[in-house]
Amino acid sequence: MPAYRRQRVAQRLLAALERHFASAGITRFRHFTLAANASAPAAYESAGFAAYEILYEKLVDRRETAHP
């Protein structure tokens, strides 16, 4: 939603989640996002997140691998 970009909404939401989790005794918070969400890494890194895992996916076209 372009009208809400650059207003630090993600940072405020992540900070609120972190406070809530800390008050509940939760010590680790992992969040997944789609690779197509190009603006996400900068938002998460500015909130103190560090990359933890990279997941790759490939769709297999079964028609190309089928044997006659």
Side-chain angles (χ1 to χ4, degrees):
M1 300 179 77
Y4 296 98
R5 295 201 188 279
R6 306 249 183 245
Q7 294 186 26
R8 303 187 59 83
V9 173
Q11 282 79 9
R12 293 196 307 262
L13 289 170
L14 290 168
L17 281 169
E18 188 174 346
R19 287 191 302 273
H20 175 74
F21 291 157
S23 70
I26 296 170
T27 59
R28 183 171 299 199
F29 175 19
R30 292 185 186 152
H31 177 75
F32 297 92
T33 190
L34 295 175
N37 188 350
S39 61
Y44 299 134
E45 289 170 12
S46 70
F49 284 77
Y52 174 77
E53 179 178 73
I54 297 174
L55 175 68
Y56 290 93
E57 176 181 69
K58 180 178 181 179
L59 298 177
V60 177
D61 185 352
R62 298 204 280 167
R63 293 173 291 167
E64 290 182 17
T65 59
H67 297 280

